Amino acid sequence: MALYRAKPKDGIAWVTGASTGIGRALALDLAREGYQVAVTARTEEKLVSLSEEAEGLPGRIIPFPGDVADEKAMAGIVDAIETSAGPIVLAVFNAGKYFQTRGERLNAENFVRTYEINLFGVINGIVPTVERMRERGHGHVAIVASVSGYFGWPSTAAYGASKAALNNMAESLKYDLDKMNIRIQVINPGFIDTPLTEKNAFPMPALMKVDDAARRMLKGLKSGGFEVTFPHRFTWFLKLLRVCPQPLRFWFVNKATGWGRRPVPAGRKPRN
Ligand SMILES: NC(=O)c1ccc[n+]([C@@H]2O[C@H](COP(=O)([O-])OP(=O)(O)OC[C@H]3O[C@@H](n4cnc5c(N)ncnc54)[C@H](OP(=O)(O)O)[C@@H]3O)[C@@H](O)[C@H]2O)c1
């Protein structure tokens, strides 16, 4: 039997992190495809204006505001979507945040907040969603990670590790979810022009427009392959770099980013 692939006539698509950026553009594309789309983020007004923007499209966009880091709230949202709109057949766990993490200014809070949103934010959604999909005997879930999970980059110790964890989690879950007729995919974008990247002060190779990224995501969801990644000219190069010996990778990343030449600010003298 072919593994389930979501279709608009089967039920609801749910997108987290849909108030801005990739999630917002994807929600609109899904509504254009005819899906009724449940959208979640913390900023309710932006979800309401997204819903208004979708008026006239084949599918509606319905706001379900909430914080993905709140386990109870996420279980409540899954319940509310299914009660008021219908069964979730496609869940795209996209909410995420980048906190710059530099070795000379390490603080635990950056790591905690990153994992609360990027990792537990997905876990808090996937647990109640998969439970319901399992009862129905089919479902389709996609986790938005990042190519920064392929290997370590300067200043991404918390973000990159959270995205590496999502890649591993998706791969591990696939063994069981396949048997439950639940398709799982991991989406690893390169640099996309969104509020998340607009504060980056460094050059971003192959930076992609958000609408193009959403289109590539939709195409990937439809084709159903385990990993969806884009733009290929950048992400396939990173895949190659991933299999290089580590000394070569450290040398390349230092050279390409100029990181090796940056002075580390002097630390405070230890107090006696
Ligand atoms: N842009 C890139 O280059 C790039 C590359 C690879 C991967 N990604 C990943 O793609 C995903 C979307 O990123 P983006 O670039 O579109 O960034 P974005 O424009 O900053 O969007 C992030 C979304 O996540 C939501 N969010 C953040 N914290 C949340 C929380 N605690 N609870 C609920 N929602 C929350 C935000 O809404 P509220 O603030 O309203 O809650 C917003 O809707 C992220 O997982 C990101 O890591 C992005």
Side-chain angles (χ1 to χ4, degrees):
M1 191 183 70
L3 190 57
Y4 178 75
R5 201 174 303 188
K7 292 176 283 309
K9 68 172 178 48
D10 293 348
I12 305 298
W14 179 31
V15 182
T16 70
S19 62
T20 58
I22 301 171
R24 186 179 195 285
L26 178 69
L28 286 166
D29 276 359
L30 288 167
R32 282 184 197 105
E33 283 286 304
Y35 277 101
Q36 309 300 323
V37 191
V39 288
T40 295
R42 292 164 303 178
T43 321
E44 187 168 0
E45 316 85 76
K46 289 187 182 164
L47 298 180
V48 171
S49 81
L50 173 62
S51 161
E52 286 164 2
E53 195 178 326
E55 278 167 22
L57 296 181
R60 276 185 315 149
I61 293 188
I62 316 155
F64 289 89
D67 185 340
V68 295
D70 183 335
E71 185 185 350
K72 275 205 181 113
M74 287 292 272
I77 286 174
V78 170
D79 195 43
I81 295 170
E82 296 230 333
T83 309
S84 65
I88 298 167
V89 290
L90 172 66
V92 184
F93 299 109
N94 164 75
K97 241 178 146 54
Y98 169 64
F99 299 99
Q100 195 191 60
T101 310
R102 301 275 294 267
E104 70 271 18
R105 292 188 228 122
L106 277 184
N107 69 82
E109 181 58 24
N110 261 6
F111 288 87
V112 172
R113 207 53 202 132
T114 302
Y115 299 146
E116 276 174 351
I117 299 167
N118 295 7
L119 185 55
F120 284 95
V122 174
I123 295 166
N124 293 337
I126 208 169
V127 170
T129 305
V130 162
E131 199 178 311
R132 285 167 186 261
M133 289 177 170
R134 183 189 183 181
E135 283 163 12
R136 285 191 285 271
H138 65 266
H140 186 159
V141 298
I143 295 175
V144 180
S146 163
V147 291
S148 68
Y150 286 175
F151 52 85
W153 283 91
S155 82
T156 65
Y159 181 80
S162 73
K163 299 298 189 179
L166 290 178
N167 269 276
N168 192 303
M169 190 171 99
E171 208 170 309
S172 304
L173 283 173
K174 181 169 165 56
Y175 294 99
D176 291 330
L177 296 195
D178 274 3
K179 289 191 277 182
M180 292 151 57
N181 196 25
I182 300 172
R183 184 181 296 272
I184 183 162
Q185 295 179 280
V186 64
I187 299 173
N188 286 319
F191 288 114
I192 315 299
D193 192 7
T194 69
L196 184 136
T197 47
E198 71 188 5
K199 50 185 182 270
N200 288 349
F202 51 85
M204 291 177 273
L207 181 69
M208 202 173 194
K209 289 198 175 89
V210 71
D211 290 341
D212 294 337
R215 261 193 298 279
R216 295 295 291 273
M217 242 154 126
L218 186 62
K219 192 174 162 211
L221 290 169
K222 282 184 183 172
S223 70
F226 174 68
E227 187 191 6
V228 179
T229 181
F230 48 82
H232 284 158
R233 66 186 188 283
F234 180 55
T235 62
W236 286 359
F237 173 71
L238 296 182
K239 278 176 181 290
L240 187 68
L241 205 54
R242 178 168 59 171
V243 295
C244 283
Q246 279 163 330
L248 181 61
R249 205 160 63 226
F250 286 132
W251 172 83
F252 176 83
V253 172
N254 262 327
K255 190 153 178 63
T257 61
W259 211 262
R261 293 189 301 277
R262 290 192 189 196
V264 173
R268 285 198 212 103
K269 285 195 179 135
R271 274 187 276 182
N272 293 323

